[in-house]
Amino acid sequence: MEGDCLSCMKYLMFLFNFFIFLGGACLLGVGIWVIVDPTGFREIVAANPLLFTGAYIMLAMGAMLFLLGFLGCCGAIRENKCLLLFFFMFILLIFLAELSAAILAFIFRENLTREFFTKELKKHYLRNNDTDVFSSTWNSVMITFACCGVNGPEDFEAVPHLPYPSLEKATPEACCQRELQSREGMFVDKEACLTGVERFQNRQGCYAVILNSFETYVYLAGALAIGVLAIELFAMIFAMCLFRGIQ
């Protein structure tokens, strides 16, 4: 009976570690995509130290889970006590690190509010200055997502208007409609857009557009994170039970 329980525990341990292996592979893939993505998301990450650090943490966590899932599977199948103990200690460390990251994300969630982005945009945006990382990033975002500012074109009323100093509410070029939403795309009517003709401008704010675009993925990432934490917890329990059961 004890042998049957040990055998059952071994295969459950293998199953949970296989899921950890898959979870690590997913995190690794998402981390690589965020860092190398050529559509402008990489520039958003690069301009925000918090997001930049988070992307590399995700990459490191994915790589560690990928490796530890593999080691856990080997330890379970071969009934190797050293591998199981090594696996347990590192999974525990990763579990605590992920829990800490979730707590920090909750604490600093106010840095992702509409008001925060609006304040930063009005303070640091330099319109068509592509040598400034902040401005270049915002221009890429507005072109890629066909949006303007955080809330709309009105966000730029307090921003310097060069090269159109005579206009009271000059709109940045990045807010003008293009035939193709990329930097190489031709403007529909650039002059009319810059002089305030609304039908040639992207009027919707980027905050709402991006939120709608990524809302599904945010919930999916949250569900995946909770699932990974639960799997890690069960894997630690099975690892310790299997460790104690091996003679």
Side-chain angles (χ1 to χ4, degrees):
M1 185 68 180
E2 185 178 347
D4 291 338
C5 288
L6 186 63
S7 179
C8 179
M9 194 68 66
K10 179 174 72 173
Y11 287 110
L12 282 173
M13 173 74 179
F14 178 85
L15 181 63
F16 274 98
N17 276 282
F18 180 69
F19 283 122
I20 290 174
F21 176 82
L22 290 181
C26 289
L27 286 177
L28 192 61
V30 171
I32 293 172
W33 173 76
V34 167
I35 291 170
V36 305
D37 174 55
T39 61
F41 192 71
R42 175 181 54 191
E43 296 178 358
I44 304 173
V45 174
N48 190 318
L50 189 63
L51 292 177
F52 185 78
T53 304
Y56 277 96
I57 289 175
M58 182 185 298
L59 193 65
M61 286 295 180
M64 291 180 68
L65 287 175
F66 183 85
L67 176 61
L68 287 175
F70 177 76
L71 290 177
C73 289
C74 292
I77 292 298
R78 298 180 61 183
E79 298 184 8
N80 187 305
K81 296 187 75 171
C82 289
L83 278 177
L84 288 172
L85 186 59
F86 175 82
F87 167 82
F88 176 84
M89 295 302 296
F90 272 84
I91 281 290
L92 179 61
L93 289 175
I94 291 174
F95 180 84
L96 294 176
E98 289 173 345
L99 201 58
S100 301
I103 293 171
L104 287 174
F106 179 78
I107 292 173
F108 291 105
R109 68 191 184 281
E110 64 272 10
N111 286 347
L112 299 176
T113 61
R114 184 188 295 266
E115 292 74 19
F116 172 81
F117 285 120
T118 304
K119 179 181 176 182
E120 291 296 301
L121 179 69
K122 291 181 177 180
K123 184 177 179 181
H124 300 292
Y125 183 67
L126 300 177
R127 294 186 175 268
N128 301 321
N129 186 349
D130 286 334
T131 60
D132 178 65
V133 175
F134 185 89
S135 303
S136 176
T137 298
W138 263 105
N139 288 335
S140 294
V141 169
M142 291 190 291
I143 292 170
T144 302
F145 290 94
C147 56
C148 188
V150 178
N151 307 288
E154 64 274 9
D155 290 342
F156 298 103
E157 293 178 10
V159 177
H161 301 149
L162 293 176
Y164 295 89
S166 61
L167 299 177
E168 183 181 355
K169 298 181 181 179
T171 303
E173 288 184 9
C175 288
C176 296
Q177 292 182 6
R178 298 170 184 252
E179 294 177 2
L180 178 66
Q181 289 307 134
S182 70
R183 286 185 178 271
E184 294 74 30
M186 296 292 293
F187 292 99
V188 176
D189 191 329
K190 179 179 174 181
E191 295 300 321
C193 167
L194 295 176
T195 53
V197 180
E198 294 186 1
R199 66 193 183 93
F200 296 113
Q201 298 175 352
N202 296 315
R203 304 293 301 176
Q204 192 170 6
C206 293
Y207 190 88
V209 171
I210 295 175
L211 194 64
N212 291 335
S213 299
F214 289 99
E215 186 176 14
T216 303
Y217 299 104
V218 169
Y219 287 122
L220 185 61
L224 179 63
I226 292 172
V228 168
L229 287 173
I231 289 170
E232 287 172 358
L233 184 61
F234 280 109
M236 285 189 290
I237 295 171
F238 289 140
M240 190 50 60
C241 291
L242 188 58
F243 177 86
R244 295 185 63 182
I246 296 173
Q247 301 299 323

